[in-house]
Each structure stands twice: as structure tokens, then as C-alpha cells.
Amino acid sequence: MQHDASVIGAVAKYFFFISLDAHTTFSSSAKVIAQLDSHNWMGVGHRVEWVRALHRAKSRMRNSAAPAWTGGALPQSVTIPSELDLSAWATFLNSAHAEEAEAVLLSQILGFSEAEIAQGLDVSEGTVRYRVGRGLRHLGGCLES
Amino acid sequence: MTRFICQELLYEFVADRLSPQRHSEMVAYLATCAESQRELERLQKGIHFVAVASRVQISGELQASLEDFKPRWKKVLSAWTMHFSNQGWRLLPYAVGAMAIALSAVVFKPWEVRMRSDVLLVEQTRSEPDMQPGPLPGSATPASSPTVTPPLALVEEQSANARTITLNLVANLMESHEPLFPYRAANLVAVPLAPIEIVTREAVATAAAVSTVPTPTAAEAEAEENERTLSITGKGWLNRADLEVADFDMAWPAIRSKIIALEGKVAGNVELGWLRQETEAYFHFSVPESNRNELEIFLKTFGPVRLSRERHPRVMPDGQIRIILTVRDGNTIEDSPETP
């Protein structure tokens, strides 16, 4: 079956940044993609449904413990820019509110608009901006430390 | 402008979404507040980080794996189908499907499900005489206290008229179904009639004088618990409602009267409004579905009602619903045992 590459990339990146683990990235992404495919929501016109499905899948993830980044290799799963320090991101995930981390990830890394996130998470756009702002400040603090 | 407001507006300030007036206020305040300046630096570092992070790319290998991903059971099924198709046994999947349907029929016995609803219809009808307003539930004797227990048929019926109705209905069902389904008649006789004694009107009157209120026993509670366990796979529905009231002594008799006025009929082994505890009344009854809204509106006048619905093996006649309502004294809420 031919899938839209952008949805696969977005879903896989989401779970990579949430879990920092190749196995979890693959298994969780496969479930969400199958779910979106079964509803015929793979097209870019259904980005709100992508957000909703990702949020639901995250809340159902069995291992809800915060991830740790040990610098280990992710075998041919993702290409990471050399200047990106994922240990700071792991610290951020461990210490920030889950809603703030999710808002930063969806908005700033995956490029969803505030309106899409607001609809997908059933919150107002102001709440999304508030979470993103606080999350980014927190992330900056993690980079300093 | 305060430090809190300044820090909360930093993200919109950096994104240049503030009005010109607000923007100039922010600039002026940031020049005077060192802590807000540090927050601004953190925010900018965070923005820089996510800009780099957004360049992370999923490898083509992972993308291809996700694109072609199929659950293991699908792979096995497709390999299996392909294998037997190559062998020339193309009818095998159909044969397996037919066997699965036959096996399901043997296991679940759909014809018995239909028969069970007939028997339950009899149970529903025979409980009608219980619905006459009886003695106040407050006079119910605790299960542990010594009481004179009437015969089983008397406990369930409290009326010889009800027995007559029951026997007639069972006889009618036997006559109507026996030519087509002889095993049904046998089951009908074995289930509802085996433990019943024929009770005369005099015996009813005598026993009623001794104890008119049926007392739930441990065996009955256990039976109802078993019934709840069975409810997981039931075909019918059971509605549950929980209500906490401020004035318990006033509320539960009023609710009892309202249920009777709405043609409610007792559906359990205890009277309508059985005082399970001093602060808890238990109503197990059936009521015409058309009266459900009126009942809900009435209950909500006493306080918030928690409503739920669950599967149950007992199938109610069309237009009837079964409800278990628990009314508790809101002033003395404690952890109470599960519904019997």
C-alpha cells in the first residue's frame, strides 16, 4: 500500500523524540499509521487527526517512564544533525510538564500549526502558545545546565 | 507590566505577535529586569535547539519498513493462503470458514439464547403482584436476626394469584413452542417450576401475617453476585444509577412512590426501597422505557445522579428497562459494599 511519506515521517519523528528509542519508535509508529490508514486519514488534509492519534497513542504508551539518552546508536533509523545534543532533550522530557513537551514537539519540531494542535488536543490556541512558550523556556534552561 | 506578565509574553514577543504598544512596553521592561532578560535568553536557546532538532530525518529504511509493515498474523495468514493456493486446494479457506461457523454455533448455541428470553419473560410477569405498595422497607428485618422464613414459592410470589399467572404463562409457552421445539418445553418445566410448591390463598395470608417482608439471605446475595458475573457476556441491558441526597429520610420514600407512580415493578428479591443500611436505600425495578426521562428528571431534583449501563444476560421485554438505583445519604458517605 502506498502511504503519504509526510505522515510517516511526522509520526516516526514524534515517537522518536518522545521515546528516544528505535524499537519504540517503530512499534508505536506502525500502530498509529495502521490506525490512520484504516480511517483513510493519511492525507495532509487530516493533520488534526494526526495530532489526535499521536496524542492518544502517547497517553496509551505502556512505558510511560521518562526516557534516558545514553548516546547509544540508533541503527539506521534516524539521521541526527551533529550539533544536536539529545541528552538535553532527554533532560527536558524528564523535567518538563508532558503537555509542554508535547506542545514544543508538535509545534516547533514537527511543524504543526497552533490551530491544528489546538483542535487535535481539544484546547484553545492561547493554551497551545502558553505551553509552547513555557516549554521553550524550560528547554533553554536544560541547555544551560 | 509585571515580571510575571513579561515572562509569559516572551514567546509572543519573540514571535513578534504583540501589538506595537505592548511590544514597546516589553522592550522598556526588559531593559530594567535582569531575570526577565535571562528568561529571554533561555527562550532563544530553546528556539535555536528546536530549529536544529527539526532537521532530524527519518531514514529511508525506517520509512520503507513502516510503509510495508503488516502485523505478524496478517503475514502468516497470507503465507498460509498462498501456500494452499499453490497446492491447488483453493477451497480450503472456505472449508475452514464453514468449520469455524459450525464450531461457533456449537459453542454459543444461538437457539438457546432465544429460549432464555422466553423464560425470563415469565419471571418478569410473575413479579407484577409484588408491585403493590407493601409495608415500609424500614421495617425490614436484618438477615442475621431470627425470622420465620416462608416457603420458597411464597417468598418469591407473596400471592397465589401470581402463581396462577405464572403457571398459565408457562403452560401457554409450552403449548405454543412444543410442536416446533420440544426441548424448550422440557427446559421450561425444569427451570422455573421445579422448586415451586403450590400455595393456597390461606397459606399466603398466614405467612404474610408472620413476615410480609422478604429478607435477603446470604444465598440470595451470592446468587445475585453470580448473576453479575454472568453479565459480562449478556445480551440484555442493566441500568445502574447512584444518587446522593441531602435529606435521606424524606427522599427515599418519595422516590419509591414516584417509581410506583411511573408503573415501576420490583425486579429483585427485595422490596422496593430496601434499606440496606440506615443511610442507603436499594431499588431494583423495571419501568416502561417511555417513563425513563421523567424518572431521571425527578431523581435529579434530589442531587446529581450517576447513570451507567452494562450488559446483562436478562433480556427485558420490548419497551421495558431494568434499573438498579442506590440512594445514599449524602451527609454520611462511606465506602459501601457492592450492589447485591
Side-chain angles (χ1 to χ4, degrees), chain B:
Chain B
M1 177 70 64
T2 64
R3 189 168 64 193
F4 176 77
I5 292 175
C6 174
Q7 292 181 2
E8 293 304 313
L9 289 177
L10 277 175
Y11 174 61
E12 287 171 309
F13 173 73
V14 171
D16 201 17
R17 290 181 180 175
L18 295 176
S19 65
Q21 183 192 350
R22 205 57 158 164
H23 187 89
S24 54
E25 283 176 14
M26 285 285 288
V27 172
Y29 186 82
L30 280 169
T32 62
C33 179
E35 191 170 332
S36 296
Q37 286 173 17
R38 277 197 297 277
E39 284 295 317
L40 179 60
E41 284 171 17
R42 284 178 188 157
L43 178 67
Q44 285 167 337
K45 283 179 185 170
I47 290 172
H48 174 72
F49 181 91
V50 294
V52 176
S54 64
R55 297 208 306 270
V56 167
Q57 291 295 321
I58 299 302
S59 70
E61 188 183 337
L62 176 60
Q63 193 138 328
S65 305
L66 287 170
E67 221 167 292
D68 299 333
F69 177 74
K70 273 187 185 175
R72 184 174 168 73
W73 66 268
K74 271 192 182 175
K75 286 181 187 169
V76 170
L77 185 65
S78 116
W80 184 74
T81 309
M82 182 64 73
H83 171 73
F84 284 107
S85 182
N86 290 339
Q87 300 280 329
W89 301 341
R90 294 186 180 175
L91 288 179
L92 189 65
Y94 299 100
V96 171
M99 280 177 63
I101 293 171
L103 192 62
S104 304
V106 169
V107 171
F108 295 109
K109 297 183 176 63
W111 55 88
E112 286 193 0
V113 172
R114 189 176 167 192
M115 186 204 70
R116 195 156 57 231
S117 67
D118 289 345
V119 175
L120 294 167
L121 184 64
V122 174
E123 289 183 359
Q124 170 63 25
T125 309
R126 76 181 179 184
S127 64
E128 282 179 3
D130 287 351
M131 299 318 302
Q132 305 306 321
L136 287 176
S139 62
T141 312
S144 56
S145 63
T147 56
V148 177
T149 306
L152 176 61
L154 187 59
V155 170
E156 290 186 355
E157 305 299 338
Q158 293 188 28
S159 163
N161 292 333
R163 173 60 53 217
T164 308
I165 292 167
T166 304
L167 291 174
N168 287 342
L169 276 168
V170 171
N172 290 340
L173 281 167
M174 287 168 63
E175 284 173 12
S176 59
H177 290 295
E178 194 166 19
L180 289 174
F181 305 104
Y183 54 87
R184 282 185 164 192
N187 286 344
L188 281 170
V189 173
V191 176
L193 294 184
I196 293 175
E197 299 174 19
I198 301 299
V199 183
T200 62
R201 288 173 187 274
E202 291 75 15
V204 172
T206 309
V210 177
S211 172
T212 55
V213 179
T215 304
T217 64
E220 287 167 354
E222 188 181 350
E224 291 209 17
E225 182 59 32
N226 291 338
E227 190 180 39
R228 286 196 61 196
T229 308
L230 282 172
S231 71
I232 296 167
T233 56
K235 295 284 184 186
W237 290 102
L238 172 63
N239 297 275
R240 290 185 182 274
D242 284 286
L243 173 63
E244 290 166 9
V245 296
D247 189 349
F248 178 76
D249 292 333
M250 184 276 291
W252 76 260
I255 291 170
R256 180 173 184 270
S257 303
K258 185 68 176 178
I259 291 170
I260 293 171
L262 292 175
E263 303 173 43
K265 299 180 188 338
V266 164
N269 290 332
V270 294
E271 76 277 15
L272 201 60
W274 170 50
L275 288 178
R276 185 159 49 186
Q277 298 171 13
E278 284 183 5
T279 58
E280 186 175 319
Y282 173 79
F283 300 82
H284 185 178
F285 60 96
S286 65
V287 69
E289 196 164 8
S290 54
N291 290 341
R292 177 191 180 137
N293 284 344
E294 187 177 344
L295 180 62
E296 278 185 24
I297 291 166
F298 179 77
L299 292 176
K300 283 174 183 172
T301 60
F302 293 97
V305 186
R306 289 191 299 278
L307 297 167
S308 62
R309 196 168 79 138
E310 62 191 54
R311 282 286 183 191
H312 195 278
R314 181 168 297 174
V315 179
M316 296 299 292
D318 286 343
Q320 290 280 320
I321 55 171
R322 197 154 64 95
I323 300 177
I324 290 180
L325 165 66
T326 307
V327 179
R328 295 189 180 87
D329 189 347
N331 299 320
T332 56
I333 293 299
E334 292 175 358
D335 289 336
S336 59
E338 281 293 308
T339 304

